[in-house]
Amino acid sequence: PISTSPRSSRSATSRCLAAKASISRFLSARTGMTGSRGSICTLVIASRAEARMKAFLKLGWAMHSWLQTKRVPSWTPDSRGVVHVSTVDNYLYLYDLATRREQKLTEEPTQAPLGIVSPDGKWLVYQSSAEADISIRARPIEGGQTRVVIETPNRANYHPMVSPSGTWVYYQVDHKNVYRLPGPAQGWRKAESQKITNFPESGLFIEDPRLSMDGKQLIYSRGRIVGDLWLLKFGAAGGK
């Protein structure tokens, strides 16, 4: 408990002012910021406040630098890790929240990074740009051979999803209709793709499809690309 006696308050205030001056110098050296950023004294009243604040700022600065090189994050099913792509080399990584260690998951960089871990936590299913067109690939989290789930010549495959049972892998082609193929629970057996949605594809654009938690419903946004024809008449000297 913090004493509220005048003597205790004056002592805390003195320590706070000293800490504030030190922290201001620390911030100025690290960030170039000068001047007051609010009343630090209302927060810092412990004798070890300066050291704690420095540690907090140091951690925040390190996290900021770390996050600057990560994008497209997604949780692992057990919420113990985050899959992300590094902006440094465009490989997919798994970050373990407990150990704070990273594990490289893919063998090739990708310019279309989007990956998801299967519900059993054993597979990474992701978009790959290793070939001329975007394909869907799968790789064991613990390491092993990467397999091509679907590769469509002259078309791009996006937004892989794994059903809760692992029976199916869903994906879409060219942001149009959604398809599915046998997933890890079926041993990735070879089969013809099953068409799940059946919209006319002229002008169709489907984005960000998602399976429900029980795998019984699919939600997505659907739009149509439309256009107008405009007639431009040139002047007497134009267009010749």
Side-chain angles (χ1 to χ4, degrees):
I2 299 175
S3 172
T4 57
S5 68
R7 182 176 180 181
S8 175
S9 297
R10 285 195 298 270
S11 178
T13 301
S14 298
R15 291 196 299 269
C16 176
L17 290 173
K20 178 180 179 181
S22 179
I23 292 169
S24 295
R25 291 193 299 271
F26 176 80
L27 282 172
S28 179
R30 287 299 182 96
T31 67
M33 293 190 303
T34 59
S36 176
R37 294 292 182 179
S39 180
I40 299 178
C41 290
T42 59
L43 300 175
V44 185
I45 59 174
S47 59
R48 302 178 66 182
E50 179 184 358
R52 290 175 181 173
M53 183 62 77
K54 284 184 176 180
F56 175 77
L57 291 171
K58 184 177 181 180
L59 175 61
W61 192 263
M63 287 299 294
H64 172 76
S65 300
W66 183 83
L67 289 171
Q68 288 290 91
T69 62
K70 322 296 175 187
R71 64 190 182 104
V72 198
S74 63
W75 288 103
T76 57
D78 59 8
S79 299
R80 295 181 179 178
V82 177
V83 173
H84 64 88
V85 66
S86 169
T87 60
V88 176
D89 58 14
N90 288 322
Y91 283 81
L92 284 163
Y93 288 81
L94 173 62
Y95 180 74
D96 189 297
L97 295 174
T99 65
R100 297 184 181 180
R101 294 181 178 179
E102 284 190 324
Q103 171 191 349
K104 183 184 284 189
L105 295 178
T106 52
E107 295 179 313
E108 78 284 347
T110 178
Q111 301 301 320
L114 188 63
I116 187 170
V117 178
S118 60
D120 62 5
K122 295 181 178 180
W123 291 89
L124 172 71
V125 185
Y126 64 99
Q127 294 176 180
S128 172
S129 59
E131 306 298 334
D133 303 299
I134 304 298
S135 62
I136 304 296
R137 297 189 173 196
R139 180 173 172 82
I141 292 291
E142 298 301 324
Q145 183 177 2
T146 301
R147 62 175 64 235
V148 177
V149 179
I150 181 66
E151 186 175 33
T152 310
N154 302 316
R155 302 195 74 178
N157 302 281
Y158 296 108
H159 290 287
M161 302 166 283
V162 183
S163 64
S165 64
T167 303
W168 301 103
V169 171
Y170 291 78
Y171 65 98
Q172 62 179 148
V173 179
D174 285 341
H175 280 287
K176 297 187 183 296
N177 282 296
V178 178
Y179 295 77
R180 74 179 185 182
L181 283 168
Q186 297 193 61
W188 303 104
R189 65 179 177 85
K190 296 295 182 180
E192 290 292 326
S193 297
Q194 297 181 12
K195 198 173 187 179
I196 303 303
T197 60
N198 194 28
F199 298 110
E201 294 199 346
S202 177
L204 176 67
F205 190 90
I206 289 180
E207 179 64 293
D208 207 21
R210 287 288 185 268
L211 283 170
S212 60
M213 298 301 291
D214 59 7
K216 295 181 179 180
Q217 299 180 86
L218 177 70
I219 191 171
Y220 51 87
S221 61
R222 178 169 68 97
R224 289 187 59 80
I225 301 174
V226 297
D228 299 321
L229 288 177
W230 290 75
L231 178 64
L232 173 64
K233 291 185 178 181
F234 292 107
K240 293 183 179 180

